[in-house]
């Protein structure tokens, strides 16, 4: 992995414009990292929330499958096979829900928690040290300004010594805060790499574990069951196709009959009138 940029601790006391300029680059980087971390955390929390919702949804699905038996369908005769099949599916969903619940817990522990800890610990520490460094720098600037305004007369040596002591104390305080701040910014360059990678390791490993457990749990015992259900569905679909074709033919036959059946007070015994004849003949039309 490429080398990490660092602030030189030995330059903290001098606090030169060059050092301050480099410090501003590190501060800009930390600000960008903070914004990105917040957005990344939102995305990860959304994934975790979706997994939790999956747990609740599968629970509801299992209950709804079991509720089929209690629906009292008016035409429910012969539903015993379907009821038992849905009950078995409900059991399968319950077993899958155990895996989903375990996955949700793993995502919380290995994906969401590390990024939360990084934000609350490392980024908050940098922000706090930045504030302390700013306060110490302001205090040092005030003491230096006070020292620079002292008169040059010898009778003010006592006052000058007191102010110089104040400046030394402020400079030491600033030096200490800058060292702590620089160390935190340097460490952040390493910690951000860990913070970005560790949650995704947790996410990926959790998903792989979930799929492996699911395969181990269902691959053997489910094959025959799913094959049986698939055959049953295929058989019912074939029966439906055959019945649908028969009903289509019957419908055409019924609709192609005499339209007079739609006439009010239609007499079934009356002769049928053929309205499709082109030529007609009768005794009134015959001439001698």
């Amino acid at each position: 992995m490429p080398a990490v940029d660092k602030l030189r601790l030995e330059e903290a006391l001098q606090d030169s414009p060059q050092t301050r300029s480099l410090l501003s680059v590190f501060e800009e980087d930390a600000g960008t990292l903070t914004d990105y971390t917040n957005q990344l955390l939102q995305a990860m929390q959304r994934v975790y929330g979706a997994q939790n919702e999956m747990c609740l949804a599968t629970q509801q699905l299992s209950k709804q499958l079991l509720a089929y038996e209690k629906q009292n369908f008016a035409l429910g005769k012969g539903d015993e096979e379907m009821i038992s099949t849905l009950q078995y599916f409900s059991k399968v969903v319950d077993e899958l829900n155990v895996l989903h619940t375990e996955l949700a817990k793993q995502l919380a522990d290995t994906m969401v928690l590390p990024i939360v800890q990084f934000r609350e610990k490392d980024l908050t520490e940098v922000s706090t040290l930045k504030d302390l460094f700013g306060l110490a720098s302001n205090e040092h600037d005030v003491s230096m300004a006070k020292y620079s305004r002292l008169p040059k007369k010898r009778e003010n040596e006592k006052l000058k010594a007191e102010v110089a002591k104040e400046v030394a104390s402020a400079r030491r305080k600033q030096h200490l805060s800058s060292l702590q701040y620089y160390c935190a910014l340097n460490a952040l360059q390493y910690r951000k790499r860990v913070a970005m990678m560790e949650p995704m390791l947790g996410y990926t490993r959790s998903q792989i574990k979930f799929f492996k457990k699911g395969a181990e749990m269902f691959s053997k015992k489910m094959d025959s069951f799913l094959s049986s259900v698939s055959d049953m569905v295929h058989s019912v679909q074939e029966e439906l196709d055959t019945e649908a074709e028969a009903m289509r033919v019957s419908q055409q036959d019924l609709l192609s009959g005499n339209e007079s059946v739609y006439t009010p007070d239609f007499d079934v015994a009356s002769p049928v009138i053929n309205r499709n004849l082109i030529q007609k003949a009768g005794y009134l039309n015959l001439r001698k």
Side-chain angles (χ1 to χ4, degrees):
M1 188 169 284
V4 174
D5 295 321
K6 296 180 182 179
L7 289 165
R8 295 174 60 86
L9 300 183
E10 55 270 23
E11 296 177 358
L13 180 60
Q14 185 180 0
D15 197 24
S16 65
Q18 293 80 3
T19 302
R20 282 296 181 114
S21 177
L22 182 59
L23 174 62
S24 67
V25 175
F26 275 74
E27 289 177 335
E28 180 182 355
D29 186 82
T32 303
L33 178 60
T34 299
D35 293 338
Y36 175 78
T37 300
N38 289 331
Q39 295 170 7
L40 181 63
L41 177 58
Q42 289 178 0
M44 290 180 174
Q45 287 174 330
R46 185 176 180 183
V47 171
Y48 171 67
Q51 186 58 43
N52 266 335
E53 177 59 27
M54 176 62 78
C55 296
L56 298 175
T58 50
Q59 288 178 1
Q60 183 180 0
L61 174 60
S62 176
K63 293 179 180 179
Q64 200 62 35
L65 291 173
L66 291 177
Y68 182 88
E69 183 182 9
K70 303 176 182 178
Q71 297 308 302
N72 294 323
F73 290 104
L75 301 175
K77 183 180 179 181
D79 276 353
E80 291 78 10
E81 184 179 9
M82 186 160 65
I83 290 174
S84 63
T85 301
L86 292 178
Q87 288 175 343
Y88 191 86
F89 270 124
S90 174
K91 180 182 177 182
V92 171
V93 172
D94 284 337
E95 293 177 355
L96 281 172
N97 187 58
V98 174
L99 297 182
H100 281 297
T101 302
E102 183 180 347
L103 176 58
K105 184 179 183 304
Q106 289 176 351
L107 291 178
D109 294 338
T110 63
M111 181 183 71
V112 178
L113 183 60
I115 202 71
V116 169
Q117 290 177 333
F118 172 69
R119 186 183 69 170
E120 300 302 324
K121 181 178 180 295
D122 298 304
L123 294 179
T124 300
E125 178 188 23
V126 168
S127 178
T128 301
L129 290 175
K130 179 181 179 180
D131 293 338
L132 294 176
F133 174 71
L135 292 173
S137 297
N138 291 336
E139 185 178 336
H140 176 260
D141 292 342
V142 170
S143 63
M144 283 297 297
K146 183 177 179 181
Y147 183 79
S148 64
R149 289 195 298 267
L150 288 174
K152 305 300 181 181
K153 298 179 182 180
R154 297 182 64 86
E155 58 267 19
N156 294 316
E157 289 297 325
K158 182 178 179 182
L159 176 60
K160 183 178 179 180
E162 292 177 353
V163 176
K165 185 178 180 181
E166 182 180 333
V167 170
S169 175
R171 180 168 293 178
R172 177 177 177 79
K173 184 177 180 181
Q174 184 201 31
H175 188 209
L176 175 61
S177 64
S178 65
L179 287 174
Q180 293 174 334
Y181 187 34
Y182 286 14
C183 287
L185 287 172
N186 286 340
L188 188 63
Q189 295 302 307
Y190 292 95
R191 288 172 178 166
K192 77 176 181 180
R193 299 186 180 188
V194 175
M196 298 301 107
M197 301 299 177
E198 187 178 11
M200 291 313 302
L201 282 174
Y203 168 80
T204 307
R205 286 170 175 167
S206 297
Q207 293 286 357
I208 292 174
K209 185 177 181 181
F210 169 77
F211 289 119
K212 282 185 176 180
K213 281 193 172 183
E216 293 171 359
M217 182 180 296
F218 297 108
S219 60
K220 296 181 179 179
K221 66 179 181 180
M222 287 295 293
D223 285 345
S224 58
F225 170 72
L226 294 177
S227 178
S228 174
V229 175
S230 179
D231 291 342
M232 181 180 68
V233 171
H234 183 69
S235 175
V236 172
Q237 185 62 49
E238 286 183 340
E239 292 180 11
L240 172 60
D241 292 342
T242 302
E243 183 65 21
E245 178 62 20
M247 288 189 291
R248 186 187 67 80
V249 173
S250 178
Q251 177 180 284
Q252 288 182 342
D253 292 341
L254 292 172
L255 290 176
S256 63
N258 189 356
E259 291 191 7
S260 60
V261 296
Y262 303 117
T263 304
D265 301 325
F266 170 69
D267 186 1
V268 179
S270 63
V272 177
I273 301 175
N274 189 347
R275 302 181 185 277
N276 297 322
L277 293 178
I278 299 176
Q279 296 180 349
K280 298 182 180 180
Y283 72 94
L284 293 179
N285 295 324
L286 297 177
R287 293 184 179 181
K288 293 183 180 179

